[in-house]
Amino acid sequence: VGRKRIVVAAIVGTREDKPLFYARRQFCRETVRVEHTYLVVNPSFRQAGIGMQITANALAVYPQMGFKEIQLDAGLTDGGLVWARLGYVPVDRRQWERVKRAVRRNFRHFPDKVKSSVEPVFSDFCIALRYILNSDEPSDIRLILRLDLEGKVKIAAGLSEEASKLLLKNSRWRGSIRMDQTDSMHFAQEYINERIDRGLVRRPEWW
């Protein structure tokens, strides 16, 4: 493609001759980047952790192949949340603004008592959220994940799901993880290791 040599790989996963998933990847040696362009999982295995296992394997294997970055489009209902948990951040400030617009839109649907900031638990939450929304740093998407870690806002406000999940719901953004950056990989490994400990993902060979 142009002057860059890009290798496109189609990957089909099976289990006992049953199709598990189909994925498409683009590998570019010049940019040492892998584009995750497509992934579909057999509906019968949607809750089996297939997507998470594929991601864990990629983060373990790609650095061994000399690649330093993965880019993808984070989307669908919970995609913006899932990829952020896996260490991905918006590729630039324009994409970060897209995330912040989605967060502001979703926050409008929070109960009025949260937005009024009268009670201390809600006041602290709103102050932290305002700081994030005023930030120009794309990696601050990770701060959204740390909002209300103890679930106090969720309980006090009677939220149906954790606050960070509701804030990032239906957000669509271009994301990237730099596998040569310790903080990014630590963030991803922390989440994946938690899934491994719960038996939801197998530990990759090079983890």
Side-chain angles (χ1 to χ4, degrees):
V1 178
R3 293 185 176 182
K4 296 178 180 177
R5 291 181 54 198
I6 295 177
V7 176
V8 179
I11 306 167
V12 178
T14 62
R15 178 183 294 171
E16 297 178 354
D17 296 328
K18 295 180 180 179
L20 284 181
F21 68 88
Y22 171 77
R24 190 161 57 241
R25 307 289 186 248
Q26 294 183 358
F27 299 83
C28 181
R29 283 292 181 189
E30 284 82 353
T31 61
V32 291
R33 176 189 302 157
V34 183
E35 298 268 352
H36 282 198
T37 55
Y38 189 75
L39 171 65
V40 61
V41 177
N42 185 328
S44 300
F45 298 96
R46 285 271 167 85
Q47 303 303 316
I50 302 299
M52 183 66 66
Q53 187 68 60
I54 294 170
T55 300
N57 291 346
L59 292 175
V61 172
Y62 289 167
Q64 306 291 326
M65 299 168 63
F67 292 99
K68 296 182 179 180
E69 182 185 13
I70 305 173
Q71 285 195 7
L72 49 72
D73 290 317
L76 304 178
T77 302
D78 295 327
L81 172 72
V82 172
W83 295 115
R85 282 177 169 170
L86 283 165
Y88 286 78
V89 300
V91 295
D92 53 32
R93 289 185 176 180
R94 179 170 170 270
Q95 293 299 313
W96 176 223
E97 288 299 323
R98 293 189 64 176
V99 175
K100 291 194 290 185
R101 283 197 297 271
V103 170
R104 291 188 181 99
R105 181 177 65 246
N106 290 331
F107 186 60
R108 295 192 198 107
H109 298 292
F110 274 53
D112 288 339
K113 61 181 178 181
V114 178
K115 293 179 282 188
S116 66
S117 304
V118 175
E119 298 178 43
V121 63
F122 300 144
S123 176
D124 293 344
F125 177 82
C126 289
I127 290 172
L129 182 58
R130 276 197 297 272
Y131 171 83
I132 295 169
L133 294 176
N134 287 327
S135 168
D136 292 327
E137 176 51 57
S139 64
D140 280 346
I141 192 174
R142 295 170 183 162
L143 297 181
I144 297 175
L145 303 178
R146 301 198 180 281
L147 287 172
D148 197 36
L149 282 177
E150 297 178 357
K152 292 180 179 179
V153 171
K154 177 184 177 183
I155 295 170
L159 301 179
S160 59
E161 298 176 287
E162 60 191 87
S164 59
K165 184 173 183 178
L166 292 174
L167 288 172
L168 288 170
K169 189 175 288 291
N170 294 315
S171 61
R172 299 184 64 85
W173 43 280
R174 184 70 174 168
S176 165
I177 182 170
R178 294 284 311 191
M179 294 172 289
D180 57 343
Q181 292 181 353
T182 304
D183 59 338
S184 296
M185 289 298 287
H186 176 76
F187 204 90
Q189 289 171 345
E190 185 178 66
Y191 182 61
I192 292 172
N193 284 337
E194 183 266 331
R195 311 294 281 185
I196 291 172
D197 292 342
R198 291 171 57 189
L200 301 175
V201 177
R202 293 193 307 273
R203 185 176 298 278
E205 183 177 349
W206 289 297
W207 202 245

